[in-house]
Amino acid sequence: MTRLRSHAASAVFVATSLLYLITGWLVTAGHGYLMGDALSRVSAAQAALFSRDPHLSAIGFVFTPLTALAQLPAVALSPLLPGLTTWGLSGVLMTALFMGGAVTTVYGIGTDRGAPAWLTRAVTVLFALNPMILFYGGNGMSEALFLFCLCWAIRRLMRWVRTDGAHDLTACGIALGLGYLTRYDALAPAAAAGAFVAACTLWRRRGEARRWWATAMDVCLVLAPVALAFFVWAATSWLITGQAFQQFTSQYGNTAILEQSGATAAGDSTAALEYSIAAMLVLGPALPLLVPMAGALGIRRRDLQVLVPMLLCGAVLAFQTLSYATGSTFAFLRFYIAAIPLAAVLTLLLAPARGQPPSRRLGEHATAVATPRSVPVGVPVAAVLVLAAALPLTTLGMNSSRLAVQEYALGAALFPQPDNASERHADQRRIAATFTTGRKLARYLDSLGLPPGAVLMDTLYGFSVVVASERPDQFVVPSDRDFVRILNRPAERGVRYILAVPPTGRGVSDAVNRRYPTMFENGAQIATLELEIPADGASEPDWRLYRVLGAG
């Protein structure tokens, strides 16, 4: 039986990973719909291997590193397969594998629970085919890796509830630690997991003399990997850059982006709460039904497993709601994607637990397998039907310009309508055309046959140019260790061109503009205008290419 389950899980992983790889390739290379954060991670991995000054710290410290590090093996093959970087396909491969892992983990939760085979398969398919999962399973963003870590942590913590096994608790901690190295908001489910483990252990060992020591040990097992990831990453950033938390202090960090782009908190807490609730309902329309049903059944069965997905996914959703209300993040639908695995796992939990989940070693407080209290088959059937009905609602939500600013142009990219002259469709086309100007500029610079280090630029916006170029070593970028010296004396150090962006919005933090405030306007008396490139798509600036005076 164990071998059969292993083969089934392998089949789920291979099938879903291939599905996301194909859809991701069609969306990115096929239709040119590229995501900025995904391309920036590809650019970071490329800089670590193929820039004019390759070194591992070139991946940067503004964002956590795992999304870029996971792409290094694929990026290493880009000299043979340029599309891995020029079209961001290394990110597509990374997200396809990890989202396939997330789907396989949801399937594993069902098999661990002993849920009916039909229910496990139905929930797995519906989770895998959710339009947000399909899109983020192949677009190179961090959501796939984060969901994999979150689902892995949920699975192993649910196992621990039944097995009291140290291996399960350790694996949960490792999953949460890797989650932190993917996204900062993993600290929220880590805190929830620590509190849950502490409460469970204290309850299990009530009356024992050493229950506080046992509780401290269990909490340490689940939180030590997270603490290690937190302190090592902060210390490494501080040692190399002088800033421990660049996400909040750097001119390129999220706090600076919000300030420079003019984004503020929602008008009031009510508006923020309304958006957050709407986003969660779009991604998990079944949650208002599933949460009370699973909760009531959990109380009836005295089943603590029900609390695990509620606490871990709920912590992520609460963190995002609070972050948006306080103006420290954007109103992005993808930030609430944890609602999707929450709905899937709660549906699996409607069925009573049967059998014992696999464990290397049962703890002394492992839960004995009791005769499960049955539930009418109509309950899980109805939940599955609600999950299926939710897919069109999620698709409609992704087509909303208010709720889904990063996703709603996807339809225009996949199904172009050349004769549609509406303002909405024009806006969608501009969003879909983001980064096309950077690609054109990269082709132009490649055609000049420039030597290494000939083009000086900041990657604040210019990452799309570097990624699209087949000659990344021709650029001098901030991750180069001699960037400041070259920026101060470009002509003396072999720079022929400077790529400039307007000193407005996010452009105020562009390193070239900070050193030469009038560069975009008049070349700052060190360069003459060679070329002006108006932006075709949204979120891209107009570019100006200046030839450096006195350059060879």
Side-chain angles (χ1 to χ4, degrees), residues 128-168:
L129 297 182
N130 185 288
M132 278 289 283
I133 299 298
L134 273 173
F135 181 45
Y136 283 94
N139 64 6
M141 299 285 279
S142 62
E143 273 62 33
L145 182 46
F146 181 72
L147 281 187
F148 169 71
C149 294
L150 181 62
C151 291
W152 183 19
I154 289 171
R155 182 183 184 186
R156 298 311 290 257
L157 193 55
M158 287 177 63
R159 275 194 190 182
W160 175 79
V161 169
R162 298 281 304 283
T163 67
D164 190 35
H167 294 92
D168 291 320

Side-chain angles (χ1 to χ4, degrees), residues 218-286:
D218 283 350
V219 172
C220 183
L221 285 176
V222 77
L223 292 185
V226 184
L228 180 65
F230 178 88
F231 287 111
V232 169
W233 180 242
T236 304
S237 176
W238 178 75
L239 287 171
I240 293 176
T241 69
Q243 297 175 338
F245 302 102
Q246 285 208 343
Q247 174 76 309
F248 310 104
T249 58
S250 168
Q251 68 195 60
Y252 305 107
N254 206 47
T255 302
I257 292 173
L258 285 161
E259 200 174 303
Q260 295 154 9
S261 61
T264 58
D268 52 54
S269 57
T270 302
L273 185 61
E274 287 175 354
Y275 175 85
S276 298
I277 291 174
M280 287 184 272
L281 289 177
V282 161
L283 297 179

Side-chain angles (χ1 to χ4, degrees), residues 206-495:
R206 59 192 181 280
E208 296 183 15
R210 298 178 61 84
R211 65 173 183 153
W212 289 104
W213 287 106
T215 300
M217 180 59 69
D218 283 350
V219 172
C220 183
L221 285 176
V222 77
L223 292 185
V226 184
L228 180 65
F230 178 88
F231 287 111
V232 169
W233 180 242
T236 304
S237 176
W238 178 75
L239 287 171
I240 293 176
T241 69
Q243 297 175 338
F245 302 102
Q246 285 208 343
Q247 174 76 309
F248 310 104
T249 58
S250 168
Q251 68 195 60
Y252 305 107
N254 206 47
T255 302
I257 292 173
L258 285 161
E259 200 174 303
Q260 295 154 9
S261 61
T264 58
D268 52 54
S269 57
T270 302
L273 185 61
E274 287 175 354
Y275 175 85
S276 298
I277 291 174
M280 287 184 272
L281 289 177
V282 161
L283 297 179
L287 288 178
L289 175 67
L290 291 172
V291 170
M293 285 177 59
L297 288 172
I299 293 172
R300 178 189 173 198
R301 299 166 180 160
R302 297 182 179 180
D303 186 0
L304 290 178
Q305 284 189 324
V306 174
L307 288 177
V308 174
M310 289 185 182
L311 287 174
L312 269 62
C313 292
V316 175
L317 298 173
F319 177 85
Q320 294 296 347
T321 301
L322 179 62
S323 296
Y324 178 51
T326 56
S328 58
T329 191
F330 293 98
F332 289 159
L333 185 64
R334 62 186 175 91
F335 288 162
Y336 301 86
I337 200 169
I340 300 174
L342 175 58
V345 176
L346 289 180
T347 303
L348 292 172
L349 289 172
L350 295 179
R354 298 177 185 274
Q356 188 73 40
S359 176
R360 293 191 177 186
R361 183 187 64 81
L362 293 176
E364 59 180 302
H365 292 277
T367 304
V369 180
T371 302
R373 297 190 178 187
S374 61
V375 63
V377 70
V379 173
V381 168
V384 167
L385 292 176
V386 172
L387 275 186
L391 299 188
L393 294 176
T394 300
T395 304
L396 289 175
M398 291 174 65
N399 199 40
S400 167
S401 59
R402 177 179 174 273
L403 284 174
V405 295
Q406 293 184 301
E407 297 87 11
Y408 94 105
L410 183 60
L414 297 178
F415 309 104
Q417 303 174 42
D419 298 329
N420 190 335
S422 68
E423 183 177 344
R424 172 185 170 86
H425 192 70
D427 185 44
Q428 289 177 316
R429 285 201 303 268
R430 279 185 56 80
I431 294 175
T434 301
F435 307 121
T436 57
T437 307
R439 302 188 66 81
K440 293 175 183 177
L441 184 53
R443 286 197 296 269
Y444 172 77
L445 293 171
D446 287 349
S447 70
L448 299 180
L450 298 171
V455 182
L456 176 68
M457 60 184 294
D458 195 342
T459 50
L460 176 76
Y461 285 112
F463 64 86
S464 65
V465 181
V466 178
V467 165
S469 170
E470 296 183 359
R471 292 274 322 287
D473 63 340
Q474 69 185 309
F475 300 101
V476 180
V477 293
S479 62
D480 295 342
R481 285 167 287 194
D482 56 356
F483 177 77
V484 174
R485 292 195 297 271
I486 296 176
L487 179 64
N488 286 331
R489 292 179 174 83
E492 297 177 16
R493 299 186 181 272
V495 173

Side-chain angles (χ1 to χ4, degrees), residues 502-529:
T504 57
R506 291 190 62 194
V508 300
S509 64
D510 182 276
V512 174
N513 286 332
R514 289 165 68 91
R515 177 61 180 85
Y516 304 106
T518 63
M519 174 58 70
F520 185 80
E521 181 182 350
N522 56 29
Q525 299 181 347
I526 66 167
T528 58
L529 184 63

